Amino acid sequence: MQDQKGISFNGFHWSHWAVISLSLLLTLGAWYFSNQQAEQKTKAQFDFQAEQIVSLVQERMEKYEEALWAGVAALHTLPNNMARADWRIFANSLKVEDRFPGINGIGVIHYLEQDKLNSYLAWQRETTPNFTLHPAHTKNEYWPITYIEPQVTNQAAVGLDMAHEINRYSAAKKARDTGKATITAPITLVQDAKRTPGFLFYAPWYGDRQGGHFYGDQNGDFLGLVYSPFIMKKLMGGVLTNSNRQVNFSIHDSGEALYSELNESSENYDDNPLYSKQIEINMYGRDWLFTVQSSSLFRAQNTQNQPLIILAGGIVIDSLLLIIFILLSRANHRAVSYADKVTQDLKQQKEELEIAHEDLQLRNQELEEANKDLDQFAFVASHDLKAPLRGISQLAQWIEEDLRENFTSQTREFMDLLQGRIQRLEKLLDALLSYSRIGREQNTFEQFHLGARVTELFSLINANKAFIFECEDNVGEMNTLAVPLELVLRNLLSNAIKHHDKGQGTIQFKAEKQSDHYRICVIDDGPGIPLQYQEKVFDLFKTLKPRDEVESSGLGLSMVKKILDRYECHYQISSNGERGTSFEFEWPFETALREE
């Protein structure tokens, strides 16, 4: 059941639901956008950390490559039959262990064919009596590790022939054939007691040393390789110490693990990471697959509480609004129920006892008091709703200030739309407040010149001077209730400008004194009002155009009607529905108003 103003006896007014819905929408929208911004920021931070890990490994491998090419350059400057002592001098001057952390050493691999094997062994045994090639194989060429520094920690590798094992052998031939630095597939170094994954890094060495020498390609200029052995765990320790790092990672070569921190024994390991990604790069002829995951430290340092704070704050505000509306709704229910009870009693008494005139007058008086209570309720409701609305507007401004730098164009559009809706609701509440005040104020009489007063009102409304005002005043000085008359004139002039379909036009004002009242008319040259709508425009919240096209509360003519009804003034609208509208009304003389 509903009363004439659309207030439900058993629920909220539609405006209550509108405010709650708008506030909830604002809360969810602010939470969503702030959460998206936080997620993008956190994801960008992870991507940066992941790319940095790969970049650091690549940069360190490039430094190791420089060391190998330095060794090749040194070989070109040393004697043809360079001895182990010569290479030791070079390695010591390079300070391998200090300048290249993670490297296991740097050495020379000579290339020799079958016919040079005996002379090569004899040459090496001049300085190293126990020198031998190992292990045995069936190839007709040999790739022995001749020199390696520091030799103490790499003794097991001296004399090791690369041709005995496919990964070492294929990478060595690739370096020789391409002339580029190359690494092997995963291997286990003979000097690694823990048998962990590693690899060899080759740089080819060419020169004019054929024939009569102990090594080298008989039919070409290939002499051998400068190489470095790497234990992967030691290499990663020298490149990336896993201390307070926000990501953990693993490296695989053709599905075989080279290195992994993705286990519970790793520092800051997160078994349910926020982010994970794979990056594949070509590392000197091998495809290394990096799997990078965020660590528990990343989770702790990138927790975003702002979206939750916004959501919690919005829910608190929505809850407070709901409590206020429940209290208002209960007060309204009691007032309306009382009015309904009085009305039903009066109807029943009229049917049964028509002679109880005095009693009926008493009941009518009670009914008037109940209606005044309803007006009071409308006044209180529209007034009290402004406080939480200002809170919603302030919250929207705070959110905008916090997130302005990260706004997308769509976010900017949504926030502007939200502020527009808040301003519209505030204007609606102002109009409701003005509407509820009609008949409540104690107005005073004032003497003024009608033409001058209405011209001043029009100047205030026509701020951009786009409309022409024509005033035909045959009344002049008058003593009347200025406030209600000005409110009627202000709304009529404002409607004529606001609903005009062009950027400029002409507004006419006519006033004349008749036998027992004033006749006043406001005429515009706007789009006109169709006949079927000429009565409906006085209804509450009624507009002929969507509010997105014309910013209006829909209460202007409703306030005009209420004021004119209050002083029993006749009024009418005249329009052919195509162009122009005339609003004409009567206004009482001073004596009639004082008798009210």
Side-chain angles (χ1 to χ4, degrees), residues 176-227:
R176 176 193 64 186
D177 297 340
T178 62
K180 297 179 180 180
T182 306
I183 63 174
T184 68
I187 63 171
T188 301
L189 302 184
V190 295
Q191 59 267 48
D192 181 13
K194 296 182 179 180
R195 316 298 291 172
T196 58
F199 65 92
L200 302 182
F201 201 172
Y202 298 139
W205 165 35
Y206 303 90
D208 186 14
R209 297 185 180 180
Q210 302 94 330
H213 294 287
F214 303 114
Y215 57 90
D217 185 359
Q218 186 68 30
N219 299 317
D221 59 356
F222 180 67
L223 300 177
L225 305 167
V226 176
Y227 96 107

Side-chain angles (χ1 to χ4, degrees), residues 492 495-496 499-500 506-508 521-530 534 537-538 544 557 572-584:
L492 292 179
N495 264 25
H499 295 284
H500 204 288
T506 301
I507 311 298
Q508 294 178 298
C521 187
V522 177
I523 306 169
D524 66 72
D525 58 351
I529 301 175
Q534 290 181 11
V537 294
F538 295 102
L544 299 185
L557 290 181
Q572 65 177 17
I573 289 180
S574 300
S575 176
N576 60 9
E578 297 178 359
R579 298 300 304 175
T581 302
S582 171
F583 189 100
E584 180 180 329

Side-chain angles (χ1 to χ4, degrees), residues 69-98:
W69 289 120
V72 172
L75 290 173
H76 283 289
T77 62
L78 292 171
N80 288 351
N81 296 332
M82 176 194 66
R84 180 170 284 100
D86 298 324
W87 184 253
R88 182 175 294 115
I89 292 172
F90 162 74
N92 291 337
S93 65
L94 195 61
K95 297 181 179 179
V96 173
E97 294 179 328
D98 296 333

